[in-house]
Amino acid sequence: MENEKKVLLSGIQPSGELHLGNYLGAIKNWADLSQDFDCYWFMADLHTITVRQVPAELRRRTLTQIATYIACGLDPERNTIFVQSHIPAHAQLGWVLQCYTMFGELSRMTQFKDKSAKHADNINAGLFTYPSLMAADILLYQPDYVPVGADQKQHVEICRDIANRFNGIYGEVFKVPEPYIPKAGARVRSLNQPDTKMSKSLPEGCVFLLEKPEDIMRKFKRAVTDSDRENPVRYDLENKPGVANLMQIYSAVTGKTFETIEREFAGQGYGAFKPAVGEAVIETLRPIREETERLLADKGYLESVYRAGAERAGKIAWRTLSKVYKKVGFLAP
Ligand code: TRP
């Protein structure tokens, strides 16, 4: 039964083009989660403006992101897909929770420290209070689980602290969520700097989901490997991180084990292996790119998806917000 399923929610910032690391590490597995969970996925556009954005680009990326998620298998009939800024309760509860978040706690967040070092000319208050808004995003929907990458675990922790603090004063208002660390999911690293994770800030080592096949192939052909004699395709994360990364990618898109891959390329070297990985990735991404493009041409359909999502999500969010407003002592409107 629908309402017996555990609830799972996650937000994704439409702040960059989605890439192979996002897909193999997260999105690919999300499609399956809707079998077991009541899933909410939202485009965290309110969060993106903590860093300056080009307005038209932000709008385009938000829509493209929705289309890509659907193309990756998130069925809008089984998942609630919405845009954060369409639901005023996020900003409203975000404000309330800022008043239950301590200055000291926020000062200790690693993401704040990193981002304020990176954007030293724009250390705005939103960047600082970001975790309170994220706590609001989560607590509005009373989820059991929040799937996030390792870099966001600290934000789920502070959300739990805020929820517990609030509940301690007013009774059991919020469900205290758990981070959800998926069992499957490959950790994809940069093709030209295999000691760091694949990221849009290193574009030559990053394969974007909607990228042209010839560009994808070029990046794989130039992928960093090593100068091991005879170029053996062998899994050795420590000594051959570039090859290990390519093997992980190949394994994730073909389902082949490392042993099978080693056998397949025995005696052939990197010159044969690299384009084979490129080809397998191109074929995996082709239907995603084509379906994303098809959906983007049908704006009416995409609008119907995010409007239906906002309607479903908005009701739940409003219920939680009303409860909170009452608890803190606001006069009923
Ligand atoms: N902070 C997350 C990120 O940068 C995005 C996010 C915003 C989020 N609100 C959330 C993730 C709520 C999970 C739950 O990746």
Side-chain angles (χ1 to χ4, degrees):
M1 294 263 71
E2 199 64 25
N3 51 9
E4 284 173 9
K5 281 186 182 170
K6 299 253 189 206
V7 176
L8 185 146
L9 166 137
S10 196
I12 313 93
Q13 290 199 50
S15 54
E17 312 296 332
L18 294 169
H19 57 72
L20 190 65
N22 302 132
Y23 178 66
L24 295 178
I27 307 169
K28 186 170 180 261
N29 307 304
W30 292 350
D32 297 330
L33 289 174
S34 68
Q35 313 274 342
D36 302 319
F37 299 98
D38 184 12
C39 295
Y40 293 79
W41 311 103
F42 66 94
M43 311 306 126
D45 55 351
L46 295 178
H47 280 90
T48 62
I49 64 162
T50 54
V51 173
R52 202 71 75 228
Q53 302 291 330
V54 176
E57 282 289 293
L58 176 57
R59 223 181 326 270
R60 183 188 59 77
R61 279 197 309 261
T62 305
L63 200 64
T64 304
Q65 199 159 292
I66 295 172
T68 308
Y69 285 131
I70 299 172
C72 289
L74 288 191
D75 176 358
E77 299 292 322
R78 310 180 57 110
N79 294 269
T80 302
I81 299 172
F82 65 98
V83 179
Q84 185 187 26
S85 65
H86 292 177
I87 301 190
H90 287 254
Q92 292 167 309
L93 183 62
W95 168 253
V96 174
L97 295 185
Q98 279 182 52
C99 302
Y100 296 82
T101 311
M102 298 302 131
F103 189 90
E105 283 179 303
L106 292 174
S107 317
R108 289 190 289 275
M109 301 305 288
T110 40
Q111 183 170 304
F112 172 69
K113 290 190 225 165
D114 291 349
K115 285 205 178 172
S116 40
K118 214 164 132 193
H119 305 278
D121 56 339
N122 184 20
I123 307 178
N124 61 75
L127 193 63
F128 189 65
T129 61
Y130 180 116
S132 306
L133 178 60
M134 178 155 160
D137 299 337
I138 297 171
L139 298 175
L140 279 174
Y141 302 93
Q142 314 274 10
D144 297 277
Y145 299 109
V146 182
V148 286
D151 62 322
Q152 293 296 318
K153 263 188 84 179
Q154 200 185 20
H155 284 156
V156 179
E157 283 307 318
I158 194 174
C159 169
R160 289 165 54 88
D161 293 342
I162 295 168
N164 281 320
R165 181 173 302 135
F166 196 94
N167 288 350
I169 306 170
Y170 302 104
E172 295 301 300
V173 178
F174 295 127
K175 175 173 266 173
V176 182
E178 305 278 341
Y180 178 88
I181 311 296
K183 7 183 196 335
R187 286 198 54 217
V188 177
R189 278 159 281 122
S190 163
L191 298 185
N192 60 359
Q193 253 170 263
D195 53 334
T196 57
K197 73 173 188 183
M198 184 174 278
S199 117
K200 61 180 189 289
S201 53
L202 296 168
E204 268 312 298
C206 181
V207 175
F208 296 98
L209 295 189
L210 307 180
E211 200 162 12
K212 289 204 288 289
E214 56 269 34
D215 293 331
I216 298 178
M217 187 52 93
R218 186 194 68 239
K219 289 177 180 179
F220 275 100
K221 283 187 174 160
R222 289 191 193 155
V224 166
T225 47
D226 52 59
S227 48
D228 213 355
R229 273 185 53 229
E230 288 163 26
N231 301 177
V233 175
R234 190 157 41 73
Y235 191 79
D236 180 349
L237 188 54
E238 197 143 314
N239 300 307
K240 299 161 71 70
V243 173
N245 188 34
L246 292 172
M247 288 179 76
Q248 266 168 6
I249 293 170
Y250 193 61
S251 167
V253 297
T254 61
K256 294 176 184 170
T257 64
F258 293 154
E259 280 138 59
T260 308
I261 299 169
E262 285 173 7
R263 236 178 295 125
E264 183 178 347
F265 293 96
Q268 293 192 62
Y270 308 152
F273 182 50
K274 293 201 283 189
V277 182
E279 201 47 50
V281 168
I282 288 167
E283 288 317 312
T284 300
L285 297 185
R286 187 187 304 282
I288 294 175
R289 188 188 70 242
E290 288 175 355
E291 180 64 1
T292 303
E293 283 165 359
R294 194 187 67 74
L295 289 166
L296 281 172
D298 189 354
K299 298 269 186 310
Y301 171 73
L302 289 175
E303 271 172 32
S304 74
V305 167
Y306 66 67
R307 288 203 182 128
E311 193 169 322
R312 269 204 300 267
K315 283 196 190 120
I316 300 170
W318 176 246
R319 223 182 288 147
T320 307
L321 182 70
S322 312
K323 208 159 141 191
V324 169
Y325 272 12
K326 202 160 145 195
K327 289 284 184 185
V328 298
F330 294 163
L331 183 64

PDB file of all heavy atoms in Angstrom, residues 9-13 42 44 47 111 130 134 137-138 146 148 152 155, ligand 1:
ATOM      1  N   LEU A   9      13.464  11.330   0.438  1.00  0.00           N
ATOM      2  CA  LEU A   9      13.505  12.630  -0.239  1.00  0.00           C
ATOM      3  C   LEU A   9      14.933  13.079  -0.486  1.00  0.00           C
ATOM      4  O   LEU A   9      15.816  12.880   0.350  1.00  0.00           O
ATOM      5  CB  LEU A   9      12.793  13.671   0.645  1.00  0.00           C
ATOM      6  CG  LEU A   9      13.009  15.152   0.289  1.00  0.00           C
ATOM      7  CD1 LEU A   9      11.700  15.915   0.379  1.00  0.00           C
ATOM      8  CD2 LEU A   9      14.044  15.795   1.200  1.00  0.00           C
ATOM      9  N   SER A  10      15.149  13.672  -1.659  1.00  0.00           N
ATOM     10  CA  SER A  10      16.449  14.298  -1.880  1.00  0.00           C
ATOM     11  C   SER A  10      16.310  15.485  -2.827  1.00  0.00           C
ATOM     12  O   SER A  10      15.409  15.529  -3.653  1.00  0.00           O
ATOM     13  CB  SER A  10      17.461  13.301  -2.430  1.00  0.00           C
ATOM     14  OG  SER A  10      18.762  13.843  -2.289  1.00  0.00           O
ATOM     15  N   GLY A  11      17.208  16.441  -2.654  1.00  0.00           N
ATOM     16  CA  GLY A  11      17.213  17.624  -3.507  1.00  0.00           C
ATOM     17  C   GLY A  11      18.508  17.670  -4.296  1.00  0.00           C
ATOM     18  O   GLY A  11      19.537  17.201  -3.826  1.00  0.00           O
ATOM     19  N   ILE A  12      18.419  18.217  -5.485  1.00  0.00           N
ATOM     20  CA  ILE A  12      19.595  18.309  -6.340  1.00  0.00           C
ATOM     21  C   ILE A  12      19.677  19.725  -6.866  1.00  0.00           C
ATOM     22  O   ILE A  12      18.712  20.247  -7.407  1.00  0.00           O
ATOM     23  CB  ILE A  12      19.506  17.338  -7.537  1.00  0.00           C
ATOM     24  CG1 ILE A  12      19.075  15.949  -7.073  1.00  0.00           C
ATOM     25  CG2 ILE A  12      20.827  17.257  -8.268  1.00  0.00           C
ATOM     26  CD1 ILE A  12      17.603  15.680  -7.125  1.00  0.00           C
ATOM     27  N   GLN A  13      20.809  20.360  -6.690  1.00  0.00           N
ATOM     28  CA  GLN A  13      20.958  21.732  -7.149  1.00  0.00           C
ATOM     29  C   GLN A  13      21.125  21.773  -8.667  1.00  0.00           C
ATOM     30  O   GLN A  13      22.025  21.123  -9.192  1.00  0.00           O
ATOM     31  CB  GLN A  13      22.197  22.356  -6.536  1.00  0.00           C
ATOM     32  CG  GLN A  13      22.074  22.608  -5.064  1.00  0.00           C
ATOM     33  CD  GLN A  13      23.103  23.621  -4.612  1.00  0.00           C
ATOM     34  OE1 GLN A  13      23.237  24.690  -5.195  1.00  0.00           O
ATOM     35  NE2 GLN A  13      23.836  23.285  -3.578  1.00  0.00           N
ATOM     36  N   PHE A  42      13.464  16.929  -5.623  1.00  0.00           N
ATOM     37  CA  PHE A  42      13.194  18.304  -6.033  1.00  0.00           C
ATOM     38  C   PHE A  42      14.446  19.009  -6.525  1.00  0.00           C
ATOM     39  O   PHE A  42      15.571  18.651  -6.150  1.00  0.00           O
ATOM     40  CB  PHE A  42      12.538  19.095  -4.888  1.00  0.00           C
ATOM     41  CG  PHE A  42      13.424  19.311  -3.707  1.00  0.00           C
ATOM     42  CD1 PHE A  42      14.173  20.474  -3.599  1.00  0.00           C
ATOM     43  CD2 PHE A  42      13.513  18.367  -2.700  1.00  0.00           C
ATOM     44  CE1 PHE A  42      15.011  20.685  -2.512  1.00  0.00           C
ATOM     45  CE2 PHE A  42      14.347  18.567  -1.602  1.00  0.00           C
ATOM     46  CZ  PHE A  42      15.086  19.726  -1.508  1.00  0.00           C
ATOM     47  N   ALA A  44      16.703  21.921  -6.286  1.00  0.00           N
ATOM     48  CA  ALA A  44      16.976  22.855  -5.182  1.00  0.00           C
ATOM     49  C   ALA A  44      17.439  24.205  -5.726  1.00  0.00           C
ATOM     50  O   ALA A  44      18.574  24.639  -5.509  1.00  0.00           O
ATOM     51  CB  ALA A  44      18.004  22.244  -4.227  1.00  0.00           C
ATOM     52  N   HIS A  47      18.627  26.967  -3.273  1.00  0.00           N
ATOM     53  CA  HIS A  47      20.009  26.814  -2.801  1.00  0.00           C
ATOM     54  C   HIS A  47      21.043  27.343  -3.798  1.00  0.00           C
ATOM     55  O   HIS A  47      22.097  27.817  -3.400  1.00  0.00           O
ATOM     56  CB  HIS A  47      20.309  25.348  -2.492  1.00  0.00           C
ATOM     57  CG  HIS A  47      19.788  24.907  -1.168  1.00  0.00           C
ATOM     58  ND1 HIS A  47      18.531  24.376  -0.999  1.00  0.00           N
ATOM     59  CD2 HIS A  47      20.347  24.938   0.059  1.00  0.00           C
ATOM     60  CE1 HIS A  47      18.342  24.097   0.276  1.00  0.00           C
ATOM     61  NE2 HIS A  47      19.427  24.429   0.948  1.00  0.00           N
ATOM     62  N   GLN A 111      31.162  22.714   4.268  1.00  0.00           N
ATOM     63  CA  GLN A 111      30.796  23.270   2.970  1.00  0.00           C
ATOM     64  C   GLN A 111      30.819  24.800   2.994  1.00  0.00           C
ATOM     65  O   GLN A 111      31.213  25.440   2.027  1.00  0.00           O
ATOM     66  CB  GLN A 111      29.422  22.765   2.515  1.00  0.00           C
ATOM     67  CG  GLN A 111      29.079  23.279   1.127  1.00  0.00           C
ATOM     68  CD  GLN A 111      27.842  22.624   0.528  1.00  0.00           C
ATOM     69  OE1 GLN A 111      27.749  21.418   0.407  1.00  0.00           O
ATOM     70  NE2 GLN A 111      26.883  23.423   0.156  1.00  0.00           N
ATOM     71  N   TYR A 130      22.385  28.299   4.767  1.00  0.00           N
ATOM     72  CA  TYR A 130      22.013  27.208   3.856  1.00  0.00           C
ATOM     73  C   TYR A 130      21.558  25.933   4.591  1.00  0.00           C
ATOM     74  O   TYR A 130      20.528  25.350   4.252  1.00  0.00           O
ATOM     75  CB  TYR A 130      23.255  26.973   3.000  1.00  0.00           C
ATOM     76  CG  TYR A 130      23.284  25.929   1.947  1.00  0.00           C
ATOM     77  CD1 TYR A 130      23.427  26.289   0.603  1.00  0.00           C
ATOM     78  CD2 TYR A 130      23.248  24.573   2.250  1.00  0.00           C
ATOM     79  CE1 TYR A 130      23.523  25.333  -0.381  1.00  0.00           C
ATOM     80  CE2 TYR A 130      23.333  23.611   1.264  1.00  0.00           C
ATOM     81  CZ  TYR A 130      23.470  23.992  -0.055  1.00  0.00           C
ATOM     82  OH  TYR A 130      23.561  23.043  -1.034  1.00  0.00           O
ATOM     83  N   MET A 134      18.082  23.746   4.141  1.00  0.00           N
ATOM     84  CA  MET A 134      18.107  22.321   3.776  1.00  0.00           C
ATOM     85  C   MET A 134      17.352  21.488   4.810  1.00  0.00           C
ATOM     86  O   MET A 134      16.648  20.540   4.459  1.00  0.00           O
ATOM     87  CB  MET A 134      19.560  21.846   3.625  1.00  0.00           C
ATOM     88  CG  MET A 134      19.658  20.376   3.295  1.00  0.00           C
ATOM     89  SD  MET A 134      21.197  19.978   2.447  1.00  0.00           S
ATOM     90  CE  MET A 134      21.270  18.203   2.747  1.00  0.00           C
ATOM     91  N   ASP A 137      13.768  21.861   3.941  1.00  0.00           N
ATOM     92  CA  ASP A 137      13.440  21.030   2.771  1.00  0.00           C
ATOM     93  C   ASP A 137      13.086  19.616   3.203  1.00  0.00           C
ATOM     94  O   ASP A 137      12.158  18.994   2.692  1.00  0.00           O
ATOM     95  CB  ASP A 137      14.658  20.871   1.836  1.00  0.00           C
ATOM     96  CG  ASP A 137      15.184  22.162   1.265  1.00  0.00           C
ATOM     97  OD1 ASP A 137      14.411  23.135   1.199  1.00  0.00           O
ATOM     98  OD2 ASP A 137      16.383  22.183   0.891  1.00  0.00           O
ATOM     99  N   ILE A 138      13.901  19.122   4.103  1.00  0.00           N
ATOM    100  CA  ILE A 138      13.760  17.727   4.519  1.00  0.00           C
ATOM    101  C   ILE A 138      12.565  17.571   5.465  1.00  0.00           C
ATOM    102  O   ILE A 138      11.663  16.772   5.236  1.00  0.00           O
ATOM    103  CB  ILE A 138      15.058  17.252   5.226  1.00  0.00           C
ATOM    104  CG1 ILE A 138      16.235  17.295   4.234  1.00  0.00           C
ATOM    105  CG2 ILE A 138      14.867  15.851   5.807  1.00  0.00           C
ATOM    106  CD1 ILE A 138      17.602  17.066   4.869  1.00  0.00           C
ATOM    107  N   VAL A 146      17.114  10.175   3.668  1.00  0.00           N
ATOM    108  CA  VAL A 146      17.578  11.216   2.760  1.00  0.00           C
ATOM    109  C   VAL A 146      18.831  10.685   2.055  1.00  0.00           C
ATOM    110  O   VAL A 146      19.902  10.614   2.661  1.00  0.00           O
ATOM    111  CB  VAL A 146      17.929  12.506   3.533  1.00  0.00           C
ATOM    112  CG1 VAL A 146      18.358  13.612   2.571  1.00  0.00           C
ATOM    113  CG2 VAL A 146      16.759  12.972   4.377  1.00  0.00           C
ATOM    114  N   VAL A 148      22.013  10.945   0.179  1.00  0.00           N
ATOM    115  CA  VAL A 148      22.962  12.014  -0.146  1.00  0.00           C
ATOM    116  C   VAL A 148      24.356  11.428  -0.315  1.00  0.00           C
ATOM    117  O   VAL A 148      24.650  10.342   0.181  1.00  0.00           O
ATOM    118  CB  VAL A 148      23.044  13.099   0.963  1.00  0.00           C
ATOM    119  CG1 VAL A 148      21.820  13.990   0.967  1.00  0.00           C
ATOM    120  CG2 VAL A 148      23.298  12.490   2.325  1.00  0.00           C
ATOM    121  N   GLN A 152      27.424  15.582   1.743  1.00  0.00           N
ATOM    122  CA  GLN A 152      26.219  16.183   2.325  1.00  0.00           C
ATOM    123  C   GLN A 152      25.825  15.558   3.660  1.00  0.00           C
ATOM    124  O   GLN A 152      24.808  15.917   4.243  1.00  0.00           O
ATOM    125  CB  GLN A 152      25.052  16.053   1.338  1.00  0.00           C
ATOM    126  CG  GLN A 152      25.228  16.876   0.075  1.00  0.00           C
ATOM    127  CD  GLN A 152      25.256  18.364   0.360  1.00  0.00           C
ATOM    128  OE1 GLN A 152      24.480  18.871   1.160  1.00  0.00           O
ATOM    129  NE2 GLN A 152      26.179  19.077  -0.267  1.00  0.00           N
ATOM    130  N   HIS A 155      25.301  17.890   6.510  1.00  0.00           N
ATOM    131  CA  HIS A 155      24.049  18.659   6.445  1.00  0.00           C
ATOM    132  C   HIS A 155      22.864  17.852   6.965  1.00  0.00           C
ATOM    133  O   HIS A 155      21.937  18.409   7.548  1.00  0.00           O
ATOM    134  CB  HIS A 155      23.780  19.103   5.005  1.00  0.00           C
ATOM    135  CG  HIS A 155      24.638  20.252   4.570  1.00  0.00           C
ATOM    136  ND1 HIS A 155      24.938  20.506   3.258  1.00  0.00           N
ATOM    137  CD2 HIS A 155      25.264  21.217   5.285  1.00  0.00           C
ATOM    138  CE1 HIS A 155      25.707  21.579   3.178  1.00  0.00           C
ATOM    139  NE2 HIS A 155      25.925  22.022   4.396  1.00  0.00           N
TER     140      HIS A 155
HETATM  141  N1  TRP B   1      22.666  20.544  -0.399  1.00  0.00           N
HETATM  142  C1  TRP B   1      22.406  19.533  -1.390  1.00  0.00           C
HETATM  143  C2  TRP B   1      23.570  19.504  -2.380  1.00  0.00           C
HETATM  144  O1  TRP B   1      24.238  20.501  -2.568  1.00  0.00           O
HETATM  145  C3  TRP B   1      21.138  19.786  -2.125  1.00  0.00           C
HETATM  146  C4  TRP B   1      19.960  19.786  -1.210  1.00  0.00           C
HETATM  147  C5  TRP B   1      19.225  20.865  -0.859  1.00  0.00           C
HETATM  148  C6  TRP B   1      19.401  18.649  -0.568  1.00  0.00           C
HETATM  149  N2  TRP B   1      18.225  20.477  -0.033  1.00  0.00           N
HETATM  150  C7  TRP B   1      18.300  19.143   0.187  1.00  0.00           C
HETATM  151  C8  TRP B   1      19.720  17.289  -0.522  1.00  0.00           C
HETATM  152  C9  TRP B   1      17.506  18.290   0.968  1.00  0.00           C
HETATM  153  C10 TRP B   1      18.932  16.441   0.258  1.00  0.00           C
HETATM  154  C11 TRP B   1      17.846  16.943   0.997  1.00  0.00           C
HETATM  155  O2  TRP B   1      23.808  18.488  -3.003  1.00  0.00           O
END
